[in-house]
């Protein structure tokens, strides 16, 4: 499936997040759509991405988050691709912490 085809197939889901009023509503939607393990896995990936963005070494990420270097490498690989979703989000979330 091409990225354009995938985007079309998840269009309703994507738009749903735009209608969330606040963190509480967003959490309720995520909790409804995902299992607890899936939700925690998404959070873990984002935690890894944030640490990589700020230059945290793999060994420190492994120790802090209890994840394997393989998992960190997967997130790192995605972050190096064009049009990945991590970078714009992290920049917006942490813009006041930029050097």
């Amino acid at each position: 499936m091409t990225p354009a085809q995938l985007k079309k197939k998840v269009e309703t889901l994507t738009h749903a997040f735009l209608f969330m009023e606040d963190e509480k509503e967003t959490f309720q939607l995520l909790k409804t759509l995902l299992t607890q393990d899936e939700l925690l896995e998404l959070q873990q990936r984002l935690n890894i991405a944030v640490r990589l963005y700020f230059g945290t070494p793999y060994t420190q990420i492994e120790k802090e988050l209890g994840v394997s270097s393989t998992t960190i490498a997967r997130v790192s690989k995605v972050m190096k691709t064009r049009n990945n979703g991590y970078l714009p989000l992290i920049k917006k979330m942490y813009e006041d912490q930029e050097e």
Side-chain angles (χ1 to χ4, degrees):
M1 181 177 310
T2 68
Q5 290 170 326
L6 178 60
K7 182 180 178 196
K8 183 74 174 160
K9 287 190 178 281
V10 299
E11 187 174 60
T12 303
L13 175 62
T14 303
H15 285 114
F17 284 97
L18 298 175
F19 289 95
M20 298 295 95
E21 295 281 334
D22 54 27
E23 187 177 334
K24 183 179 178 182
E25 279 190 13
T26 304
F27 175 70
Q28 282 302 119
L29 177 61
L30 287 169
K31 197 171 76 164
T32 301
L33 294 172
L34 303 168
T35 66
Q36 181 176 320
D37 287 345
E38 290 167 336
L39 195 53
L40 291 170
E41 185 177 332
L42 291 176
Q43 179 63 55
Q44 183 180 69
R45 289 180 195 173
L46 184 56
N47 287 343
I48 292 167
V50 168
R51 284 167 173 77
L52 288 171
Y53 179 80
F54 285 108
T56 306
Y58 274 38
T59 52
Q60 187 176 339
I61 297 171
E62 286 176 284
K63 187 176 181 178
E64 288 177 1
L65 301 180
V67 297
S68 70
S69 59
T70 304
T71 302
I72 300 166
R74 273 192 232 119
V75 173
S76 178
K77 182 178 178 180
V78 171
M79 289 181 70
K80 292 175 185 172
T81 62
R82 286 184 60 205
N83 301 321
N84 79 78
Y86 289 120
L87 294 179
L89 175 64
I90 293 169
K91 287 177 181 180
K92 286 177 185 176
M93 289 175 67
Y94 296 95
E95 63 190 19
D96 61 328
Q97 295 180 24
E98 293 291 322
E99 297 173 53

